[in-house]
Amino acid sequence: MHDDAGDVERVGTVPAGLPEARGGAAQATPAPTATGTARARYAYLGPEGTFTEAALLQVTDPTESELVPCLDVVTALDLVRRGEVDFAVVPIENSVEGSVNVTLDSLATGSPLVIVGEMLVPIAFVLAAREGMTLAHVRRISTHPHAWAQCRGWVGAHLPGAVHVPATSTAAAVALLAGDQDAPGFDAALASPLSVRKYGLPVLADGVADNPHAVTRFILVARPGYLPEPTGADKTTLMVHLPDNEAGALLSMLEQFATRGVNLSRIESRPIGDSLGRYSFSIDAEGHVSEERVQATLIGLHRVCPTVRFLGSYPRADGQRPHLRPGTHDADFRAAREWVRDLLAGGTV
Ligand SMILES: O=C(O)C(=O)C[C@]1(C(=O)O)C=C[C@@H](O)C=C1
């Protein structure tokens, strides 16, 4: 049951243009870059003023890199896959609304990508409208669906009957409202105070939120080939499939983590899509693939699951270190392996 992870080697050096993990968040390094351009290129969910851009600005200085705003998450990730940019920054999880499914699904399929960093952004919204508009006039509100989900209660209480007009991002709604179009199809937008200032719209209401402590987690994504250094406070993201029609398959998958003392910080099922009842599991586990307990878990998963996709080991944005129970430290695995080697060499204890 307990696998020996002793012969697994780490991926080596940091290729040019990829970030060096430092202080819980990734940091961009200077040229030359993986795309062959002078400055690292970052795709992100745009336009300027999104919460995603705020996350991106945590990991790069915009004067030293090239920021490429994209219409949606899939486009940003595909630019990385095609080698047109070095990285993408996309949302993955919100503390109120949960996972960003399009991100989970895009990482789970297609050519492989890896997460090399994560960033946390506190979320606060304002309601903005064109000059002369008052709260009493607002009937149609545009914003990103995840943002709408975080403000539904506030809208119900302050603007009963107002309807949602979906936008590709919060800043996209603001940009449309601030643009030349006579009738953008909505009266107001829910977005960050920063984006509303950037596009120069008046604020009708601030502090709009159902939960004032909402946080969104964003990831920095690259092509495979680079593994951030372990910091002692890391996460490993995986996507696994279970064997079909096997009683206890989910339990058996979870046991791989439990028996090696690897705690999970997120697990959710996503439909695989080809027929009803087939699901993959998207998992964040505490620890780094260079650590023995995580390697032993991966070896176990590989034995019991038909598909295991490694989606990266990277520093946690909150710097929180795992609580390791006795017997699950690297030294414990090494000592156990030495003992078995001694047995093979004719030892008896
Ligand atoms: O629309 C934006 O500003 C985004 O960056 C997207 C996004 C999301 O996908 O959850 C990010 C943070 C907020 O939770 C709302 C929207």
Side-chain angles (χ1 to χ4, degrees), residues 131 175 278 314 325:
E131 208 65 61
R278 296 196 71 232
Y314 49 91
R325 66 166 193 249

Side-chain angles (χ1 to χ4, degrees), residues 10 44 93 163 176 221:
R10 287 205 59 227
Y44 71 100
E93 184 183 5
V163 295
L176 262 180
V221 178

Side-chain angles (χ1 to χ4, degrees), residues 45 50-52 91 94 100 123 125 144 146-147 150 169-170 216 218:
L45 174 66
T50 58
F51 290 103
T52 311
N94 171 262
V100 180
I123 303 296
F125 298 101
H144 187 278
H146 251 69
Q150 293 171 72
S169 70
T170 53
T216 296
F218 295 84

